[in-house]
Amino acid sequence: MSVLIIAEHDNKSLKPATLNTVTAATQIDADVHVLVVGFECQTVVEQAAQVSGVTKVLVADNAAYEHQLAENVSKLVVDVAAGYGHILAPATTTGKNTLPRVAALLNVAQLSDVIKVESADTFVRPIYAGNAIATVKTTDAVKVLTIRTTGFDAAASTGGSAERQVLSQVITSDRSRFVKEQLAESDRPELTAASVIISGGRGMGNGDNFKLLEGVADKLGAAIGASRAAVDAGFVPNDLQVGQTGKTVAPDLYIAVGISGAIQHLAGMKDSKVIVAINKDEDAPIFQVADYGLVADLFDAVPELEKSL
Amino acid sequence: MKILVSVKRVIDYNVKVRVKADHSAVDLTNVKMSMNPFCEIAVEEAIRLKEKGIATEVVAVSIGSKACQETLRTALALGADRAIQVEAEDGLDSLSVAKLIAKVAQDEAADLVIMGKQAIDSDNNQTGQMVAALLDYPQATFASEVLIENGEAQVTREIDGGLQTLAITLPAVVTTDLRLNEPRFASLPNIMKAKKKPLDVKTPADLGVEVGSNVSLVSVTPPPQRAGGIKVGSVTELVDKLKNEAKVVS
């Protein structure tokens, strides 16, 4: 049976997380449909139709869907769910917000943060902050899954030519109203899509010192991240948080600066290909997962690193 | 306004998790258990709303075996007025838990249900959303600020790109993120007083809810271990290794 994916987008562009989800979907079934719910989101539809492996794009384009509120989007998904064996969304804050409602309305379970597809009914997902890996089997008629993007390669963004179907139903959300959004603006790559990340922790001392990381990030084309300790201390905003309850990342290179390496942080980055740790405490747990550890004062090492790149 | 706050008893967040040798589950024997950290934040938020005079009563609910009464007593010591344990096997799936909490919320006529965004054992991040869907309530997940005014909750949410603010009409479900508040500690006198606060025990049958799941656990394994790396002596050596050994920097 076909797989339905709820696209991650901001009405302007399709987010890379969708591409990883397409790869997961193609491992379940060859017939992969993508649902684009939004407002004035035609560019997203064009992009989704070109993704390799996508056979059909469903479009619900209406002002009622502008902010992709969970209340009405979930009802729309349930409306079109008939005929699908699996419903997937990337495990982003949007997917995590909406998909459990879909599962509850369909009276089925949701499997969160799937990192591997064993078969059409058996999936692998981390539990206990990634300290245990569970394999689970579901006999639910519709299988609802959120996909951890780091578990799957991105599908090619071009090469496909999916047919399109416009959905006419308009479902409003009367008891939930969008008020405002404060989105971080940055020229750097998105954390979850970056191939290099440099993250700061409590050792950075304050928010101003994160500027030190910017120099290195500029040279490497890196995204900047942070540990929970740095976010809790107010050094940087929440959208930089990498960890069990923040973002999960797996770049080619992860540089942890002044981060001790709490379990919660490791849960979000230990699948990175190469990990570098710079910390003045040689007993910091981060060194146990780092491929290259440098015991040094970050305030000396980071400027030197910037110069030598 | 009445608030229902749910609490889950989980492995303490400081405990190192070990998988059983037969790969059937995580080993929880003789392991320290505590209230899920996100539930602590939920309880704190409910109590603060009561202290501000916005909430009139805070009811704590937990689904699980008798051991979760301990977690409910903690919630009572922190300031909840009374507690409800729904007696069930531990590790019930999220949808069943959501159905039970939804029924309790309905029976209690709660105006606001506050829940942790996820439990640190199963890491599902779904029960709150399911409760909201089952009751057809609006939701505001991953909250970092909650303001109640004129029958509405204005909630700031932590989303991937930054912050989003929604206004939701009560009754509604809010799930907590880390920055919502800093939970207090229970004082000894309050721990003593909590022993006298009412704690009702119900069963899923009492609530008319059928529990069960089509999901079965095949195995639980330890994660692949990262081989320990090396220490480099200088930034120069580090850059050399990144360029010539790992080849991740050009």
Side-chain angles (χ1 to χ4, degrees):
Chain A
M1 274 168 78
S2 313
V3 181
L4 180 67
I5 295 173
I6 306 173
E8 174 91 9
H9 68 91
D10 58 1
N11 292 323
K12 294 185 204 84
S13 64
L14 186 72
K15 296 291 169 191
T18 313
L19 302 176
N20 308 82
T21 310
V22 168
T23 300
T26 53
Q27 294 175 9
I28 298 168
D29 192 280
D31 198 21
V32 175
H33 299 183
V34 171
L35 170 64
V36 177
V37 188
F39 181 47
E40 295 178 341
C41 52
Q42 209 47 44
T43 343
V44 181
V45 175
E46 299 305 324
Q47 289 168 348
Q50 285 172 34
V51 175
S52 174
V54 176
T55 51
K56 190 177 185 181
V57 178
L58 309 170
V59 191
D61 188 333
N62 191 281
Y65 303 128
E66 183 176 2
H67 301 291
Q68 298 173 50
L69 300 175
E71 291 79 1
N72 54 344
V73 173
S74 58
K75 287 178 185 169
L76 176 73
V77 174
V78 170
D79 235 24
V80 300
Y84 290 103
H86 298 75
I87 301 176
L88 276 55
T92 56
T93 48
T94 313
K96 287 174 177 174
N97 189 42
T98 303
L99 214 59
R101 282 189 88 110
V102 173
L105 293 174
L106 293 170
N107 196 30
V108 298
Q110 173 185 289
L111 302 180
S112 304
D113 277 302
V114 168
I115 54 169
K116 195 170 168 212
V117 174
E118 291 277 355
S119 71
D121 66 2
T122 306
F123 306 93
V124 179
R125 54 177 303 264
I127 53 176
Y128 292 87
N131 288 301
I133 306 295
T135 302
V136 289
K137 185 182 163 94
T138 166
T139 56
D140 275 329
V142 187
K143 294 157 184 73
V144 175
L145 324 172
T146 63
I147 300 299
R148 180 172 286 195
T149 53
T150 55
F152 300 87
D153 292 334
S157 58
T158 54
S161 58
E163 61 167 302
R164 291 130 205 235
Q165 184 189 337
V166 174
L167 302 175
S168 55
Q169 55 267 65
V170 176
I171 302 169
T172 54
S173 175
D174 305 327
R175 286 170 291 151
S176 178
R177 183 165 48 84
F178 173 85
V179 179
K180 63 177 177 186
E181 220 158 42
Q182 298 152 261
L183 299 183
E185 282 179 35
S186 166
D187 299 332
R188 298 185 197 288
E190 250 184 274
L191 253 182
T192 50
S195 57
V196 181
I197 294 172
I198 181 162
S199 285
R202 198 195 303 272
M204 297 302 295
N206 60 50
D208 279 346
N209 289 335
F210 267 74
K211 290 202 181 79
L212 282 175
L213 305 185
E214 290 175 10
V216 178
D218 286 341
K219 289 219 164 150
L220 293 173
I224 291 180
S227 69
R228 175 186 167 183
V231 178
D232 281 356
F235 297 172
V236 289
N238 65 283
D239 52 282
L240 298 194
Q241 189 186 327
V242 171
Q244 181 184 16
T245 64
K247 293 189 172 88
T248 309
V249 299
D252 295 333
L253 174 61
Y254 188 92
I255 306 173
V257 181
I259 291 177
S260 63
I263 297 171
Q264 291 82 356
H265 186 71
L266 301 184
M269 47 64 82
K270 69 188 161 89
D271 293 329
S272 306
K273 288 202 182 75
V274 175
I275 296 174
V276 169
I278 300 174
N279 201 305
K280 66 180 173 192
D281 173 12
E282 62 178 315
D283 296 322
I286 189 77
F287 287 121
Q288 289 163 22
V289 300
D291 298 282
Y292 303 109
L294 177 63
V295 181
D297 187 328
L298 71 93
F299 296 102
D300 300 326
V302 174
E304 198 187 333
L305 178 62
E306 183 191 338
K307 277 195 213 103
S308 47
L309 287 167
Chain B
M1 185 176 94
K2 192 196 269 192
I3 298 177
L4 181 69
V5 59
S6 64
V7 294
K8 184 175 183 184
R9 180 175 180 268
V10 298
I11 192 166
D12 186 86
Y13 77 102
N14 279 317
V15 171
K16 183 152 172 50
V17 172
R18 282 176 214 288
V19 172
K20 283 186 185 170
D22 65 358
H23 290 175
S24 61
V26 163
D27 195 350
L28 293 178
T29 39
N30 300 322
V31 163
K32 187 184 177 202
M33 303 292 279
S34 300
M35 187 188 291
N36 178 43
F38 289 96
C39 301
E40 286 182 335
I41 297 171
V43 171
E44 177 67 31
E45 196 62 17
I47 296 162
R48 288 189 189 186
L49 286 169
K50 192 178 172 199
E51 287 169 348
K52 284 184 200 153
I54 295 166
T56 46
E57 189 182 22
V58 175
V59 181
V61 62
S62 190
I63 318 293
S65 65
K66 190 157 190 216
C68 76
Q69 288 191 6
E70 196 187 324
T71 315
L72 285 169
R73 289 290 171 200
T74 306
L76 294 170
L78 290 168
D81 297 295
R82 58 192 175 83
I84 300 167
Q85 179 214 354
V86 181
E87 176 83 44
E89 56 170 313
D90 288 322
L92 209 59
D93 76 300
S94 303
L95 184 60
S96 298
V97 169
K99 285 176 181 173
L100 294 166
I101 293 175
K103 188 62 181 22
V104 171
Q106 231 170 8
D107 290 353
E108 291 286 337
D111 301 285
L112 182 62
V113 182
I114 309 182
M115 302 172 66
K117 79 165 180 179
Q118 80 190 64
I120 59 163
D121 51 1
S122 49
D123 278 337
N124 277 315
N125 192 334
Q126 59 188 18
T127 310
Q129 295 87 315
M130 287 179 160
V131 170
L134 293 169
L135 294 167
D136 197 22
Y137 285 179
Q139 71 185 37
T141 51
F142 329 143
S144 64
E145 196 183 4
V146 177
L147 298 167
I148 309 282
E149 233 174 37
N150 307 323
E152 233 182 36
Q154 185 142 325
V155 181
T156 305
R157 308 176 53 229
E158 296 197 355
I159 59 170
D160 285 339
L163 297 171
Q164 179 190 60
T165 306
L166 297 178
I168 52 175
T169 309
L170 303 182
V173 175
V174 168
T175 75
T176 62
D177 216 317
L178 293 169
R179 261 68 62 174
L180 182 57
N181 59 49
E182 275 188 46
R184 69 193 69 187
F185 295 97
S187 67
L188 191 59
N190 284 343
I191 292 171
M192 300 311 288
K193 267 191 245 165
K195 293 184 177 161
K196 297 204 179 85
K197 288 186 179 176
L199 191 160
D200 284 343
V201 180
K202 293 186 177 181
T203 64
D206 294 339
L207 297 166
V209 174
E210 219 173 291
V211 299
S213 167
N214 291 326
V215 179
S216 54
L217 193 58
V218 178
S219 70
V220 177
T221 54
Q225 290 300 313
R226 269 192 98 92
I230 57 161
K231 291 253 170 74
V232 291
S234 66
V235 170
T236 315
E237 190 187 345
L238 173 64
V239 173
D240 176 65
K241 294 279 186 197
L242 292 178
K243 282 185 176 166
N244 301 317
E245 192 175 89
K247 299 190 194 317
V248 284
V249 170
S250 52

